[in-house]
Amino acid sequence: CGFDILRASEGDSLVMDVNGWSFVKGNEQYAVDAARILDARFQEALRHRWVARFVDADAVGRLTYENTWALKGVLSVCRHADRTPKQKIKQLVSAPAVVNLLDPALSEVILRTRTDLDRALEALQSVSRHDAACAQLADVLARKIDQLGTKMQVRSQPVSADKQTCVQVVLKWGGECTHAGAVQSQDLGERMRKDLTLLNAALLDDVAFFSSTERRVQSTVAAYAGAFVGGQSKPQITVRADMLDDSSAAKPMMDKAKEQLCGFFNFDGPLSENPYYNAECMALPADMDENPYGFVRDMCELMCRLIDRMEANFASLTPEGLAKLQSDWCCGETAELFRERWKKILADFRSVDKKTGCVVYEPAKVGELYDSLKYDALHNRRFLEQIFKQTDESSQSAKEDEEERVEQRSIGEEGMEKEEFLEMKSDKDNSS
């Protein structure tokens, strides 16, 4: 072993660090021997005259008020572990076949089982020819019905002015606990058990586990609880619906906040003139500059270029080529579902106002973008990098799509007629 020594000008030198002790790491006998030697030294020091002035040597080992302090309990509230991205679509539906899915005595019904989802699909398909909203719901449900976590919520709505009864249908899929989530939960359970054993092992004699009704939460709690009890017994988990807050009372406030966000980011003009800007309570990042609309527009155009590359790469790759990029997928996803998910993110983030014809950005969807990026970076990193990579084919396709977007933006933002824009573009090409 080597050691560091501190030389003193007068008196003895001091060894301040001993190196090369890595061979004892993980050696339990070394820890036991070290503890025994240290205990003997401390017991010997207690008999020292100087120490005896501060410590009653005869009281060592005897219970006193101070040394009976102990950790009495732990209350831990945890979020669910890693999950697949959550996705959903909402539609207002007035078709009687769909309205009848909701019990008149209830304000909401959640359809989860395959039998209930089949019944909902049949109702949607029966009116899909004459109802575009139902057609979209039926199309998505037919493709997602076998995926874990797919469910449909049917909520009652106030009767409209024309006395027409309608319901809000929310179709959700994804949000399932992944294999990484199970490992995270088990690791946390094992570490907390070790920590509490050191602090007060008696705490492990009285443990209670609670879970909300969400599947991803139940999966997280099951993995965590199994590791926490150490396999000694099957943990008892109480599932309680009231652990999920009822957010319906806050819906008006949330809708108002979304409306303000949407208005703020869709105002194309100086920040000082933005009617939704409040300098006292809104802190903007430095790279957003003075034009939030331009910031969101540039971000959307970046997404468009990435989606263009993805589409070109999908078109140029055979099924065998896609499988070489990634053969194993998490939680039943496939390359085609990856493609569909990213196209939906873009479609939800950018839409065209039917009245004005202007592009409208939905900033509330940024959370879904972050959700998918984080998930794919963890589970599909190689596929993500390769499918968004620019190739000769994707470069040409992206160039054509970019020219079309520039044309649409110029027509929409400058108020040009299409013929005027094409004439200006032709003059520019000829001059170059």
Side-chain angles (χ1 to χ4, degrees):
C1 296
F3 57 86
D4 298 335
I5 190 168
L6 184 64
R7 296 289 186 185
S9 58
E10 296 180 5
D12 297 332
S13 299
L14 177 67
V15 175
M16 55 182 294
D17 185 22
V18 179
N19 305 310
W21 289 93
S22 59
F23 67 92
V24 300
K25 290 180 179 177
N27 187 327
E28 187 174 350
Q29 187 58 43
Y30 167 78
V32 171
D33 291 343
R36 178 177 50 78
I37 294 171
L38 286 172
D39 180 66
R41 290 295 184 92
F42 286 137
Q43 293 290 346
E44 181 183 343
L46 286 172
R47 304 296 175 183
H48 193 279
R49 183 181 303 173
W50 185 83
V51 176
R53 290 185 298 170
F54 305 97
V55 180
D56 181 2
D58 296 328
V60 174
R62 190 174 72 238
L63 291 179
T64 64
Y65 175 75
E66 288 80 4
N67 65 24
T68 54
W69 289 354
L71 182 66
K72 304 299 183 183
V74 175
L75 174 63
S76 179
V77 181
C78 302
R79 186 177 183 266
H80 59 75
D82 180 65
R83 57 164 172 76
T84 59
K86 294 190 296 182
Q87 299 180 78
K88 65 181 178 182
I89 56 174
K90 292 182 181 180
Q91 295 287 3
L92 287 176
V93 179
S94 59
V98 180
V99 173
N100 290 338
L101 293 172
L102 178 64
D103 188 330
L106 301 175
S107 60
E108 179 183 24
V109 65
I110 301 178
L111 309 175
R112 299 177 186 270
T113 66
R114 181 56 190 262
T115 301
D116 287 340
L117 290 175
D118 282 336
R119 182 164 56 91
L121 179 60
E122 183 180 349
L124 290 168
Q125 289 175 336
S126 67
V127 295
S128 59
R129 288 186 179 182
H130 313 290
D131 192 315
C134 289
Q136 183 190 21
L137 289 166
D139 175 61
V140 175
L141 180 56
R143 287 184 284 110
K144 307 295 182 183
I145 197 167
D146 291 322
Q147 283 190 236
L148 287 174
T150 298
K151 64 180 180 182
M152 194 169 91
Q153 296 171 257
V154 185
R155 299 170 178 165
S156 63
Q157 296 293 302
V159 178
S160 60
D162 56 359
K163 306 249 180 114
Q164 187 179 40
T165 302
C166 67
V167 293
Q168 182 187 58
V169 177
V170 185
L171 182 57
K172 298 181 178 181
W173 64 97
E176 291 300 297
C177 195
T178 66
H179 60 278
V183 172
Q184 291 170 354
S185 306
Q186 291 168 356
D187 181 60
L188 179 61
E190 291 171 358
R191 285 191 288 110
M192 285 201 68
R193 177 180 176 82
K194 291 177 181 178
D195 290 345
L196 294 181
T197 300
L198 290 173
L199 294 170
N200 184 2
L203 291 174
L204 303 178
D205 297 333
D206 183 14
V207 182
F209 301 100
F210 297 90
S211 170
S212 71
T213 55
E214 289 183 321
R215 287 165 54 101
R216 56 181 170 273
V217 177
Q218 293 185 46
S219 299
T220 298
V221 175
Y224 168 85
F228 186 85
V229 300
Q232 297 177 1
S233 60
K234 185 177 180 180
Q236 297 296 317
I237 302 172
T238 303
V239 179
R240 293 177 48 168
D242 59 352
M243 291 186 69
L244 284 175
D245 290 334
D246 182 7
S247 60
S248 57
K251 190 175 185 306
M253 297 177 66
M254 291 191 293
D255 289 343
K256 183 179 180 181
K258 289 180 180 179
E259 182 181 346
Q260 289 180 331
L261 272 176
C262 190
F264 174 76
F265 282 103
N266 282 281
F267 178 81
D268 189 11
L271 191 62
S272 58
E273 298 178 10
N274 193 323
Y276 299 93
Y277 178 60
N278 187 332
E280 294 181 359
C281 62
M282 296 179 72
L284 304 182
D287 54 354
M288 189 174 287
D289 202 17
E290 289 292 309
N291 189 357
Y293 176 80
F295 177 85
V296 175
R297 182 192 62 206
D298 292 344
M299 184 176 71
C300 186
E301 289 184 353
L302 173 60
M303 288 175 58
C304 289
R305 289 196 293 272
L306 291 173
I307 298 299
D308 291 341
R309 291 180 191 176
M310 180 186 73
E311 291 288 18
N313 289 331
F314 262 99
S316 63
L317 287 169
T318 62
E320 293 76 17
L322 288 171
K324 286 182 180 179
L325 294 182
Q326 182 166 315
S327 56
D328 296 325
W329 291 81
C330 182
C331 297
E333 195 171 43
T334 64
E336 192 56 42
L337 289 175
F338 173 99
R339 179 187 191 181
E340 179 186 301
R341 172 159 55 84
W342 276 97
K343 288 173 68 176
K344 182 181 182 298
I345 290 174
L346 178 60
D348 290 345
F349 188 75
R350 183 192 63 178
S351 60
V352 177
D353 191 300
K354 294 180 180 179
K355 295 181 180 178
T356 63
C358 296
V359 174
V360 177
Y361 302 107
E362 182 50 75
K365 297 297 181 180
V366 170
E368 293 182 16
L369 171 62
Y370 172 81
D371 212 16
S372 278
L373 278 173
K374 182 180 177 182
Y375 172 79
D376 287 326
L378 178 64
H379 297 279
N380 308 317
R381 178 177 290 274
R382 184 169 183 273
F383 190 87
L384 181 76
E385 292 173 346
Q386 294 299 316
I387 207 66
F388 286 141
K389 188 176 181 179
Q390 183 166 315
T391 61
D392 293 340
E393 293 84 355
S394 64
S395 178
Q396 179 60 31
S397 175
K399 182 179 179 182
E400 294 172 357
D401 290 332
E402 179 66 17
E403 289 178 352
E404 182 178 349
R405 280 195 295 273
V406 170
E407 174 183 335
Q408 293 297 329
R409 194 204 305 174
S410 297
I411 293 171
E413 295 181 2
E414 304 297 335
M416 294 183 184
E417 294 293 337
K418 186 169 184 179
E419 292 77 9
E420 181 183 352
F421 175 84
L422 294 175
E423 182 179 349
M424 183 184 72
K425 182 176 182 295
S426 176
D427 292 340
K428 182 180 178 181
D429 293 340
N430 292 333
S431 63
S432 60

